[in-house]
């Protein structure tokens, strides 16, 4: 009996670790002291978030699977020395098969191919795909599989989406490896999303982000010129990629959002596939609205893969709508884009959602681009998506039925786990 009690206690304690945050936790608002395009803003972003901002990059925005997957697969098939690939979702289907075949072919050709798949995100992946890749020489690793020694970290997943080829070309964004992301968002079975092709010195930071989790998973370092070649300027965009993890730097994403919101003076446009901000972020948005910033948030509508996220998100809208924020509900399909555009200059993209889970529990990677032309392009994309959305008003929020309010009350305390 005593042994069972001790065992149960150990299990409960280990399980509770899955819901804890890091010791470093933000609990105060960031003050508005300078603008997005102020050199001081960029200096502090580079220092506080991690890698410094690098010049000489080019970032190409890719829309939906019809543009994203052919570009990624072409880059893999052109690899000469190394391919590093990390993803949360990897499911079976045509897309999963295409990627496994391309990765396996390169491994057979002598390219070093390293793959990290989140264990939870890969549960729907056929084991035969992994078997064939490993047989071809691909080093496939699952991030934090279900093991007794991982039990205390089971809820802390890698949500990073990174592909780096020959240390020279990188990809990041919102897509997973599944058929839902194929097509061009033409119907509810084909999701709306974006991914980004990157060249220039910032690719080395993307490589380092992948290797961060490769070390956690395997204990091995990937180094040498085949992973970190000299990188000449490839464009004129300034950018940096930074990471977060519950084991270190877990507040990086939270801090980035708070700093960007605090520095904005004119506009904030947010694609938010999962919009469940914490109290600090809501307060920061209200402060921005009070000083005259136009805040527009685009969220999924009827077509969403998590009803609990939808419920928890809607519960928060009232304060923002009353303060003057615009919330637009995307109609055609699941909208999975993650982006923030501030004052027509800063664009932040990557795997990070505007929610508590991304801020506190997930391993995430975000690319910040400081470039007016790129921001203008992303704003045009945002405006195009708005045309397929419906505005949601404060009056609608006030008139929602009692059963929706009750569900929100029940779900909201668990928003960090959604």
């Amino acid at each position: 009996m005593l042994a069972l009690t001790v065992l149960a206690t150990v299990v409960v304690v280990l399980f509770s670790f899955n819901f804890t945050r890091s010791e470093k936790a933000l609990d105060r608002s960031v003050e508005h002291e300078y603008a997005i395009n102020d050199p001081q803003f960029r200096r502090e972003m580079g220092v506080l978030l991690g890698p410094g901002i690098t010049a000489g990059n080019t970032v190409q925005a890719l829309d939906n699977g019809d543009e994203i997957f052919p570009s990624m697969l072409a880059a893999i098939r052109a690899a000469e020395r190394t391919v590093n690939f990390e993803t949360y979702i990897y499911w079976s289907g045509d897309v999963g098969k295409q990627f496994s075949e391309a990765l396996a072919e390169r491994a057979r050709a002598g390219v070093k191919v390293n793959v990290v798949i989140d264990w939870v995100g890969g549960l729907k992946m056929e084991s035969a795909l992994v078997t064939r890749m490993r047989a071809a020489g691909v080093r496939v690793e699952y991030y934090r599989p279900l093991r007794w020694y991982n039990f205390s970290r089971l809820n802390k997943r890698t949500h990073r989406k990174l592909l780096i080829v020959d240390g020279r070309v990188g990809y990041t964004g919102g897509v997973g490896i599944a058929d839902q992301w194929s097509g061009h968002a033409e119907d509810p079975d084909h999701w709306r999303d974006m991914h980004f092709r990157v060249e220039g010195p910032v690719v080395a930071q993307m490589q380092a982000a992948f290797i961060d989790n490769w070390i956690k998973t395997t204990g091995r370092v990937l180094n040498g010129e085949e992973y970190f070649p000299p990188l000449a300027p490839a464009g004129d965009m300034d950018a940096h990629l930074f990471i977060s993890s519950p084991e270190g730097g877990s507040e990086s994403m939270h801090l980035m959002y708070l700093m960007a919101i605090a520095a904005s003076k004119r506009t904030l446009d947010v694609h938010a596939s999962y919009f469940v901000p914490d109290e600090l972020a809501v307060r920061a948005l209200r402060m921005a609205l009070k000083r005259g910033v136009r805040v527009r948030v685009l969220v999924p509508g009827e077509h969403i893969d998590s009803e609990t996220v939808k419920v928890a998100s809607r519960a928060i809208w009232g304060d923002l709508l009353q303060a003057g924020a615009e919330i637009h509900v995307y109609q055609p399909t699941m909208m999975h884009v993650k982006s923030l555009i501030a004052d027509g200059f800063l664009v932040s993209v990557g795997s990070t959602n505007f929610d508590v889970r991304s801020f506190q529990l997930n391993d995430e990677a975000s690319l910040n681009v400081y470039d007016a032309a790129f921001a203008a392009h992303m704003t045009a994309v945002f405006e195009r998506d708005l045309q397929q959305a419906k505005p949601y008003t404060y009056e609608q929020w006030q008139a929602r039925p009692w059963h929706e309010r009750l569900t929100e009350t029940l779900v909201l305390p668990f928003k960090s786990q959604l």
Side-chain angles (χ1 to χ4, degrees):
M1 185 66 178
L2 177 61
L4 288 175
T5 302
V6 171
L7 179 61
T9 302
V10 170
V11 170
V12 169
V13 170
L14 288 175
F15 186 70
S16 69
F17 289 161
N18 281 277
F19 306 97
T20 58
R21 353 174 10 175
S22 65
E23 292 182 6
K24 175 186 171 187
L26 293 166
D27 61 3
R28 294 290 187 276
S29 298
V30 178
E31 298 298 324
H32 174 70
E33 296 185 356
Y34 38 70
I36 291 285
N37 59 359
D38 190 313
Q40 183 65 25
F41 175 75
R42 293 210 282 175
R43 278 195 292 271
E44 293 188 9
M45 290 289 268
V47 171
L48 291 174
L49 300 183
I53 298 169
T54 65
N57 304 287
T58 184
V59 181
Q60 178 188 3
L62 302 171
D63 274 314
N64 302 317
D66 278 356
E67 288 187 7
I68 296 165
F69 290 140
S71 181
M72 293 176 70
L73 289 166
I76 292 171
R77 291 164 180 152
E80 297 179 352
R81 305 179 74 183
T82 60
V83 176
N84 285 344
F85 184 42
E86 179 173 357
T87 188
Y88 175 66
I89 293 293
Y90 198 132
W91 295 343
S92 297
D94 291 341
V95 172
K97 184 178 180 182
Q98 288 177 53
F99 272 82
S100 65
E101 289 176 349
L103 293 164
E105 187 279 327
R106 283 294 80 197
R108 286 192 293 269
V111 174
K112 295 179 180 178
V113 181
N114 309 299
V115 176
V116 174
I117 302 168
D118 186 82
W119 178 75
V120 172
L123 285 175
K124 295 182 182 180
M125 183 183 188
E126 292 178 13
S127 60
L129 295 179
V130 176
T131 299
R132 286 196 288 269
M133 283 194 286
R134 285 175 171 163
V138 179
R139 290 182 286 184
V140 182
E141 300 288 344
Y142 283 108
Y143 191 75
R144 291 181 179 160
L146 181 59
R147 302 284 189 271
W148 68 266
Y149 51 82
N150 271 340
F151 191 67
S152 65
R153 297 179 294 173
L154 187 63
N155 191 38
K156 298 173 181 179
R157 314 309 312 171
T158 179
H159 195 243
R160 297 175 189 172
K161 299 170 181 69
L162 297 165
L163 170 65
I164 305 96
V165 176
D166 291 335
R168 297 184 180 278
V169 177
Y171 290 81
T172 191
V175 302
I177 306 305
D179 290 351
Q180 283 88 335
W181 277 275
S182 63
H184 53 275
E186 67 270 26
D187 56 48
D189 293 328
H190 300 85
W191 291 4
R192 167 78 184 107
D193 213 337
M194 298 189 73
H195 228 59
F196 301 86
R197 187 182 189 276
V198 185
E199 291 184 81
V202 76
V203 174
Q205 296 177 359
M206 301 176 74
Q207 189 77 288
F210 172 87
I211 293 172
D212 172 68
N213 272 350
W214 185 256
I215 292 171
K216 290 179 189 176
T217 305
T218 69
R220 299 193 298 270
V221 178
L222 303 174
N223 60 345
E225 189 174 337
E226 59 194 356
Y227 292 105
F228 292 100
L231 294 173
D236 56 5
M237 298 182 187
D238 294 345
H240 62 150
L241 183 126
F242 51 97
I243 60 176
S244 66
S245 170
E247 280 70 40
S250 65
E251 290 291 346
S252 295
M253 300 306 170
H254 197 192
L255 180 59
M256 187 280 293
Y257 273 79
L258 294 176
M259 290 179 67
I261 295 167
S264 61
K265 296 181 68 175
R266 298 183 293 105
T267 59
L268 276 170
D269 291 332
V270 181
H271 276 104
S273 51
Y274 306 100
F275 183 63
V276 193
D278 68 339
E279 290 77 9
L280 272 182
V282 171
R283 191 185 313 161
L285 289 168
R286 287 175 60 89
M287 291 168 63
L289 289 160
K290 189 174 181 179
R291 63 176 180 268
V293 178
R294 184 195 66 191
V295 176
R296 300 185 294 181
V297 183
L298 183 61
V299 298
E302 174 188 355
H303 306 291
I304 186 169
D305 64 333
S306 175
E307 283 295 324
T308 52
V309 168
K310 181 179 179 179
V311 169
S313 179
R314 187 180 56 220
I316 296 167
W317 294 358
D319 283 347
L320 295 173
L321 289 166
Q322 193 173 31
E326 299 176 33
I327 295 179
H328 300 263
V329 181
Y330 193 74
Q331 299 298 306
T333 185
M334 171 62 183
M335 194 283 298
H336 199 257
V337 183
K338 311 155 198 312
S339 73
L340 179 147
I341 312 161
D343 282 355
F345 186 70
L346 164 66
V347 179
S348 184
V349 297
S351 63
T352 306
N353 291 311
F354 202 144
D355 65 8
V356 182
R357 168 167 279 280
S358 277
F359 291 165
Q360 296 179 3
L361 294 176
N362 286 344
D363 287 15
E364 302 282 6
S366 279
L367 177 71
N368 276 14
V369 183
Y370 304 83
D371 185 83
F374 185 66
H377 173 77
M378 288 298 294
T379 300
V381 171
F382 186 86
E383 298 277 2
R384 185 187 69 208
D385 285 341
L386 280 188
Q387 294 175 11
Q388 300 190 75
K390 291 182 179 180
Y392 189 93
T393 66
Y394 183 64
E395 289 70 29
Q396 286 177 280
W397 188 82
Q398 283 184 307
R400 69 201 192 285
W402 70 267
H403 59 85
E404 288 188 4
R405 295 170 184 261
L406 176 60
T407 307
E408 292 165 8
T409 302
L410 295 174
V411 168
L412 203 55
F414 304 97
K415 64 182 181 181
S416 68
Q417 307 306 313
L418 303 179

